[in-house]
Amino acid sequence: MSVQPAYVKGHIISKDGTRIGYRQMGKGPAVILVHGGMMAAQNFMELGSILADEFTVYIPDRRGRGLSGGFGDNYSLLKDGEDMQALVRHAGAQNIFGLSSGAIITLQTALLESSLKKVAVYEPPLPLPGIDHSRMNKKYDAALAKGDLAKAMISVIKGTGDPSFFTVLPAFITVPLMKAGSRNRKENQSDEDVPLAVLIPTFHYDRIIAGNAGDLIEKSKSIQADILLLDGTKSKKFLKQALNELAAALPAAKRVELKGMGHLAASNGENPAAVAKELRDFFKK
């Protein structure tokens, strides 16, 4: 059984007064890790613990989750960017990494905060012409309206195309498994870990983030930091297409494709060690 890595808790106050809590571990230059949708800081504990031997790692709970305050009125990508900007300034961080919707927030943060020197993103689901997520969204909304959190989560997992077994097993197997997982707390979880049943409805706000990112590729051309673009060979075409568009707009960015990995490679239980290797090499240069 894996052991929960040791960490200390802290918080900052964002521009609109929202409390943003974080977990901190390690020693060295500051690195901020921004989690993706239906996640919280707990999902980056393995990645953080690997990096903690050379970096002071800050893993925030994005607003609406865990140690942080609520989404608030007029929620937007800008607010999430301001949350991370406040943490960047508090930590004195020059390095930041984001996964999925957290990668969108990471790009927004880099637009707001010029002190960042190294910006790494893994498959930001940027909106592009011709990409239609309406089927996934309808299934998610319908399941959520019925209170069926398991089906709601499975609809999102299948929509993002991560190669975990949940995408290939039929619903009559995966739904009971997911229901059990959303009810039970694992023995090695921290008291600050956010239950899956709380995280699943937050995907609604990740869709707002993606909807606000229509011009983010063009805006990203003004980012002065060095940029690392990461993706996996097993991820869905629309995620690769978005990264291709971003890479075309940012010709100086470094691009790394990780073999055999999918959309959630950086999270616990997937392959955070491989992602950590790329981040370590990038942040140390």
mmCIF file of all heavy atoms in Angstrom, residues 35-40 42-43 62 65 101 140 149 152-157 160 194-196 198-204 206:
data_model
loop_
_atom_site.group_PDB
_atom_site.id
_atom_site.type_symbol
_atom_site.label_atom_id
_atom_site.label_comp_id
_atom_site.label_asym_id
_atom_site.label_seq_id
_atom_site.Cartn_x
_atom_site.Cartn_y
_atom_site.Cartn_z
ATOM 1 N N HIS A 35 -3.836 21.005 -11.048
ATOM 2 C CA HIS A 35 -4.551 19.780 -11.419
ATOM 3 C C HIS A 35 -5.645 20.029 -12.454
ATOM 4 O O HIS A 35 -6.059 21.164 -12.697
ATOM 5 C CB HIS A 35 -5.146 19.114 -10.175
ATOM 6 C CG HIS A 35 -6.202 19.928 -9.487
ATOM 7 N ND1 HIS A 35 -7.483 20.051 -9.961
ATOM 8 C CD2 HIS A 35 -6.167 20.669 -8.338
ATOM 9 C CE1 HIS A 35 -8.191 20.806 -9.155
ATOM 10 N NE2 HIS A 35 -7.416 21.212 -8.154
ATOM 11 N N GLY A 36 -6.114 18.933 -13.043
ATOM 12 C CA GLY A 36 -7.148 19.002 -14.062
ATOM 13 C C GLY A 36 -8.551 18.859 -13.515
ATOM 14 O O GLY A 36 -8.798 19.000 -12.305
ATOM 15 N N GLY A 37 -9.497 18.559 -14.407
ATOM 16 C CA GLY A 37 -10.900 18.458 -14.049
ATOM 17 C C GLY A 37 -11.222 17.225 -13.230
ATOM 18 O O GLY A 37 -10.581 16.180 -13.358
ATOM 19 N N MET A 38 -12.227 17.338 -12.374
ATOM 20 C CA MET A 38 -12.664 16.281 -11.454
ATOM 21 C C MET A 38 -11.508 15.777 -10.605
ATOM 22 O O MET A 38 -11.436 14.614 -10.227
ATOM 23 C CB MET A 38 -13.330 15.128 -12.217
ATOM 24 C CG MET A 38 -14.619 15.530 -12.894
ATOM 25 S SD MET A 38 -15.641 14.154 -13.476
ATOM 26 C CE MET A 38 -14.530 13.407 -14.674
ATOM 27 N N MET A 39 -10.545 16.681 -10.340
ATOM 28 C CA MET A 39 -9.392 16.372 -9.502
ATOM 29 C C MET A 39 -9.279 17.422 -8.405
ATOM 30 O O MET A 39 -9.978 18.434 -8.412
ATOM 31 C CB MET A 39 -8.098 16.388 -10.331
ATOM 32 C CG MET A 39 -7.977 15.302 -11.369
ATOM 33 S SD MET A 39 -6.391 15.458 -12.251
ATOM 34 C CE MET A 39 -6.444 13.959 -13.240
ATOM 35 N N ALA A 40 -8.336 17.157 -7.490
ATOM 36 C CA ALA A 40 -7.935 18.128 -6.483
ATOM 37 C C ALA A 40 -6.457 17.904 -6.221
ATOM 38 O O ALA A 40 -5.821 17.079 -6.884
ATOM 39 C CB ALA A 40 -8.777 17.961 -5.219
ATOM 40 N N GLN A 42 -4.898 16.275 -4.180
ATOM 41 C CA GLN A 42 -4.562 14.878 -3.879
ATOM 42 C C GLN A 42 -4.106 14.097 -5.101
ATOM 43 O O GLN A 42 -3.311 13.159 -4.998
ATOM 44 C CB GLN A 42 -5.788 14.192 -3.265
ATOM 45 C CG GLN A 42 -6.955 14.056 -4.236
ATOM 46 C CD GLN A 42 -8.307 14.239 -3.589
ATOM 47 O OE1 GLN A 42 -8.468 15.113 -2.739
ATOM 48 N NE2 GLN A 42 -9.276 13.429 -3.973
ATOM 49 N N ASN A 43 -4.596 14.463 -6.288
ATOM 50 C CA ASN A 43 -4.277 13.715 -7.504
ATOM 51 C C ASN A 43 -2.865 13.950 -8.014
ATOM 52 O O ASN A 43 -2.396 13.240 -8.905
ATOM 53 C CB ASN A 43 -5.278 14.043 -8.604
ATOM 54 C CG ASN A 43 -6.677 13.614 -8.257
ATOM 55 O OD1 ASN A 43 -7.459 14.402 -7.729
ATOM 56 N ND2 ASN A 43 -7.005 12.355 -8.511
ATOM 57 N N ARG A 62 -7.745 23.828 -6.672
ATOM 58 C CA ARG A 62 -8.407 24.898 -7.405
ATOM 59 C C ARG A 62 -9.711 25.284 -6.704
ATOM 60 O O ARG A 62 -10.281 24.483 -5.959
ATOM 61 C CB ARG A 62 -8.674 24.448 -8.846
ATOM 62 C CG ARG A 62 -7.416 24.436 -9.707
ATOM 63 C CD ARG A 62 -7.601 23.694 -11.010
ATOM 64 N NE ARG A 62 -8.877 24.026 -11.631
ATOM 65 C CZ ARG A 62 -9.442 23.280 -12.602
ATOM 66 N NH1 ARG A 62 -8.857 22.190 -13.031
ATOM 67 N NH2 ARG A 62 -10.589 23.642 -13.122
ATOM 68 N N ARG A 65 -12.904 23.470 -4.390
ATOM 69 C CA ARG A 65 -12.464 22.129 -3.999
ATOM 70 C C ARG A 65 -11.624 22.194 -2.718
ATOM 71 O O ARG A 65 -10.829 23.108 -2.534
ATOM 72 C CB ARG A 65 -11.612 21.499 -5.106
ATOM 73 C CG ARG A 65 -12.291 21.397 -6.453
ATOM 74 C CD ARG A 65 -11.250 21.213 -7.562
ATOM 75 N NE ARG A 65 -11.863 21.081 -8.882
ATOM 76 C CZ ARG A 65 -12.201 22.095 -9.669
ATOM 77 N NH1 ARG A 65 -11.989 23.338 -9.273
ATOM 78 N NH2 ARG A 65 -12.738 21.878 -10.847
ATOM 79 N N SER A 101 -7.568 20.862 -18.044
ATOM 80 C CA SER A 101 -8.112 22.204 -17.787
ATOM 81 C C SER A 101 -7.155 23.012 -16.926
ATOM 82 O O SER A 101 -7.105 24.245 -17.019
ATOM 83 C CB SER A 101 -9.485 22.119 -17.118
ATOM 84 O OG SER A 101 -9.427 21.331 -15.946
ATOM 85 N N TYR A 140 -23.266 13.566 -19.623
ATOM 86 C CA TYR A 140 -22.836 14.018 -18.293
ATOM 87 C C TYR A 140 -23.975 14.759 -17.595
ATOM 88 O O TYR A 140 -24.296 14.473 -16.429
ATOM 89 C CB TYR A 140 -21.616 14.922 -18.431
ATOM 90 C CG TYR A 140 -21.236 15.653 -17.163
ATOM 91 C CD1 TYR A 140 -20.468 15.027 -16.181
ATOM 92 C CD2 TYR A 140 -21.637 16.973 -16.949
ATOM 93 C CE1 TYR A 140 -20.117 15.705 -15.015
ATOM 94 C CE2 TYR A 140 -21.283 17.650 -15.786
ATOM 95 C CZ TYR A 140 -20.528 17.009 -14.827
ATOM 96 O OH TYR A 140 -20.187 17.678 -13.684
ATOM 97 N N LEU A 149 -23.745 9.898 -10.221
ATOM 98 C CA LEU A 149 -22.396 10.441 -10.346
ATOM 99 C C LEU A 149 -21.462 9.493 -11.081
ATOM 100 O O LEU A 149 -20.554 9.939 -11.795
ATOM 101 C CB LEU A 149 -21.837 10.755 -8.960
ATOM 102 C CG LEU A 149 -22.593 11.804 -8.146
ATOM 103 C CD1 LEU A 149 -21.941 11.976 -6.778
ATOM 104 C CD2 LEU A 149 -22.639 13.139 -8.888
ATOM 105 N N ALA A 152 -22.001 9.892 -14.739
ATOM 106 C CA ALA A 152 -21.520 11.221 -15.131
ATOM 107 C C ALA A 152 -20.012 11.202 -15.314
ATOM 108 O O ALA A 152 -19.486 11.713 -16.314
ATOM 109 C CB ALA A 152 -21.922 12.253 -14.080
ATOM 110 N N MET A 153 -19.305 10.588 -14.381
ATOM 111 C CA MET A 153 -17.847 10.545 -14.485
ATOM 112 C C MET A 153 -17.402 9.685 -15.652
ATOM 113 O O MET A 153 -16.473 10.054 -16.389
ATOM 114 C CB MET A 153 -17.237 10.024 -13.193
ATOM 115 C CG MET A 153 -15.713 10.041 -13.232
ATOM 116 S SD MET A 153 -14.961 9.725 -11.628
ATOM 117 C CE MET A 153 -13.245 10.084 -12.025
ATOM 118 N N ILE A 154 -18.027 8.561 -15.851
ATOM 119 C CA ILE A 154 -17.644 7.674 -16.952
ATOM 120 C C ILE A 154 -17.839 8.359 -18.292
ATOM 121 O O ILE A 154 -17.036 8.195 -19.222
ATOM 122 C CB ILE A 154 -18.428 6.352 -16.867
ATOM 123 C CG1 ILE A 154 -17.917 5.525 -15.684
ATOM 124 C CG2 ILE A 154 -18.296 5.555 -18.161
ATOM 125 C CD1 ILE A 154 -18.755 4.332 -15.354
ATOM 126 N N SER A 155 -18.878 9.174 -18.418
ATOM 127 C CA SER A 155 -19.105 9.876 -19.684
ATOM 128 C C SER A 155 -17.953 10.819 -19.988
ATOM 129 O O SER A 155 -17.538 10.969 -21.143
ATOM 130 C CB SER A 155 -20.426 10.648 -19.636
ATOM 131 O OG SER A 155 -20.354 11.743 -18.734
ATOM 132 N N VAL A 156 -17.399 11.459 -18.953
ATOM 133 C CA VAL A 156 -16.272 12.374 -19.144
ATOM 134 C C VAL A 156 -14.996 11.598 -19.451
ATOM 135 O O VAL A 156 -14.226 11.963 -20.347
ATOM 136 C CB VAL A 156 -16.067 13.265 -17.910
ATOM 137 C CG1 VAL A 156 -14.842 14.149 -18.083
ATOM 138 C CG2 VAL A 156 -17.307 14.121 -17.674
ATOM 139 N N ILE A 157 -14.761 10.510 -18.719
ATOM 140 C CA ILE A 157 -13.554 9.707 -18.949
ATOM 141 C C ILE A 157 -13.534 9.175 -20.371
ATOM 142 O O ILE A 157 -12.511 9.229 -21.069
ATOM 143 C CB ILE A 157 -13.478 8.552 -17.940
ATOM 144 C CG1 ILE A 157 -13.229 9.092 -16.531
ATOM 145 C CG2 ILE A 157 -12.367 7.580 -18.315
ATOM 146 C CD1 ILE A 157 -13.258 8.032 -15.450
ATOM 147 N N THR A 160 -12.784 12.034 -22.872
ATOM 148 C CA THR A 160 -11.394 12.478 -22.982
ATOM 149 C C THR A 160 -10.492 11.384 -23.524
ATOM 150 O O THR A 160 -9.362 11.655 -23.943
ATOM 151 C CB THR A 160 -10.846 12.932 -21.614
ATOM 152 O OG1 THR A 160 -10.996 11.876 -20.668
ATOM 153 C CG2 THR A 160 -11.580 14.166 -21.129
ATOM 154 N N VAL A 194 -10.435 15.289 -1.240
ATOM 155 C CA VAL A 194 -11.815 15.589 -1.607
ATOM 156 C C VAL A 194 -12.471 14.331 -2.174
ATOM 157 O O VAL A 194 -11.939 13.723 -3.106
ATOM 158 C CB VAL A 194 -11.870 16.720 -2.658
ATOM 159 C CG1 VAL A 194 -13.312 17.133 -2.913
ATOM 160 C CG2 VAL A 194 -11.035 17.913 -2.215
ATOM 161 N N PRO A 195 -13.620 13.905 -1.638
ATOM 162 C CA PRO A 195 -14.277 12.704 -2.159
ATOM 163 C C PRO A 195 -14.657 12.855 -3.624
ATOM 164 O O PRO A 195 -14.994 13.950 -4.091
ATOM 165 C CB PRO A 195 -15.531 12.585 -1.278
ATOM 166 C CG PRO A 195 -15.223 13.370 -0.056
ATOM 167 C CD PRO A 195 -14.337 14.494 -0.497
ATOM 168 N N LEU A 196 -14.617 11.754 -4.331
ATOM 169 C CA LEU A 196 -14.957 11.753 -5.745
ATOM 170 C C LEU A 196 -16.374 12.276 -5.974
ATOM 171 O O LEU A 196 -16.650 12.957 -6.970
ATOM 172 C CB LEU A 196 -14.817 10.332 -6.300
ATOM 173 C CG LEU A 196 -14.794 10.137 -7.807
ATOM 174 C CD1 LEU A 196 -13.719 10.994 -8.460
ATOM 175 C CD2 LEU A 196 -14.571 8.663 -8.123
ATOM 176 N N VAL A 198 -17.804 14.609 -4.568
ATOM 177 C CA VAL A 198 -17.778 16.077 -4.562
ATOM 178 C C VAL A 198 -17.116 16.601 -5.830
ATOM 179 O O VAL A 198 -17.506 17.647 -6.370
ATOM 180 C CB VAL A 198 -17.044 16.592 -3.304
ATOM 181 C CG1 VAL A 198 -16.883 18.101 -3.354
ATOM 182 C CG2 VAL A 198 -17.795 16.170 -2.043
ATOM 183 N N LEU A 199 -16.113 15.879 -6.328
ATOM 184 C CA LEU A 199 -15.360 16.343 -7.491
ATOM 185 C C LEU A 199 -16.116 16.201 -8.806
ATOM 186 O O LEU A 199 -15.962 17.031 -9.706
ATOM 187 C CB LEU A 199 -14.034 15.581 -7.595
ATOM 188 C CG LEU A 199 -13.012 15.866 -6.497
ATOM 189 C CD1 LEU A 199 -11.800 14.950 -6.657
ATOM 190 C CD2 LEU A 199 -12.580 17.326 -6.515
ATOM 191 N N ILE A 200 -16.925 15.176 -8.935
ATOM 192 C CA ILE A 200 -17.584 14.911 -10.219
ATOM 193 C C ILE A 200 -18.442 16.094 -10.678
ATOM 194 O O ILE A 200 -18.354 16.508 -11.846
ATOM 195 C CB ILE A 200 -18.407 13.609 -10.144
ATOM 196 C CG1 ILE A 200 -17.462 12.411 -10.004
ATOM 197 C CG2 ILE A 200 -19.270 13.439 -11.399
ATOM 198 C CD1 ILE A 200 -18.150 11.101 -9.688
ATOM 199 N N PRO A 201 -19.259 16.708 -9.834
ATOM 200 C CA PRO A 201 -20.064 17.852 -10.305
ATOM 201 C C PRO A 201 -19.235 19.073 -10.707
ATOM 202 O O PRO A 201 -19.739 19.955 -11.418
ATOM 203 C CB PRO A 201 -20.960 18.176 -9.097
ATOM 204 C CG PRO A 201 -21.018 16.899 -8.319
ATOM 205 C CD PRO A 201 -19.663 16.297 -8.476
ATOM 206 N N THR A 202 -17.973 19.153 -10.293
ATOM 207 C CA THR A 202 -17.164 20.326 -10.632
ATOM 208 C C THR A 202 -16.781 20.371 -12.108
ATOM 209 O O THR A 202 -16.295 21.406 -12.582
ATOM 210 C CB THR A 202 -15.870 20.388 -9.791
ATOM 211 O OG1 THR A 202 -15.034 19.264 -10.108
ATOM 212 C CG2 THR A 202 -16.183 20.388 -8.304
ATOM 213 N N PHE A 203 -16.999 19.286 -12.834
ATOM 214 C CA PHE A 203 -16.681 19.300 -14.266
ATOM 215 C C PHE A 203 -17.470 20.386 -14.997
ATOM 216 O O PHE A 203 -17.023 20.904 -16.025
ATOM 217 C CB PHE A 203 -16.971 17.927 -14.885
ATOM 218 C CG PHE A 203 -16.685 17.859 -16.353
ATOM 219 C CD1 PHE A 203 -15.382 17.920 -16.827
ATOM 220 C CD2 PHE A 203 -17.717 17.741 -17.279
ATOM 221 C CE1 PHE A 203 -15.108 17.866 -18.188
ATOM 222 C CE2 PHE A 203 -17.455 17.686 -18.633
ATOM 223 C CZ PHE A 203 -16.147 17.750 -19.091
ATOM 224 N N HIS A 204 -18.614 20.739 -14.478
ATOM 225 C CA HIS A 204 -19.398 21.841 -15.058
ATOM 226 C C HIS A 204 -18.546 23.099 -15.179
ATOM 227 O O HIS A 204 -18.625 23.831 -16.187
ATOM 228 C CB HIS A 204 -20.614 22.119 -14.173
ATOM 229 C CG HIS A 204 -21.296 23.420 -14.443
ATOM 230 N ND1 HIS A 204 -22.096 23.627 -15.546
ATOM 231 C CD2 HIS A 204 -21.264 24.599 -13.766
ATOM 232 C CE1 HIS A 204 -22.547 24.881 -15.532
ATOM 233 N NE2 HIS A 204 -22.055 25.490 -14.469
ATOM 234 N N ASP A 206 -15.199 23.206 -15.315
ATOM 235 C CA ASP A 206 -14.127 22.993 -16.294
ATOM 236 C C ASP A 206 -14.616 23.295 -17.708
ATOM 237 O O ASP A 206 -13.848 23.774 -18.549
ATOM 238 C CB ASP A 206 -13.611 21.562 -16.197
ATOM 239 C CG ASP A 206 -12.842 21.326 -14.919
ATOM 240 O OD1 ASP A 206 -11.640 21.627 -14.898
ATOM 241 O OD2 ASP A 206 -13.441 20.867 -13.936
#
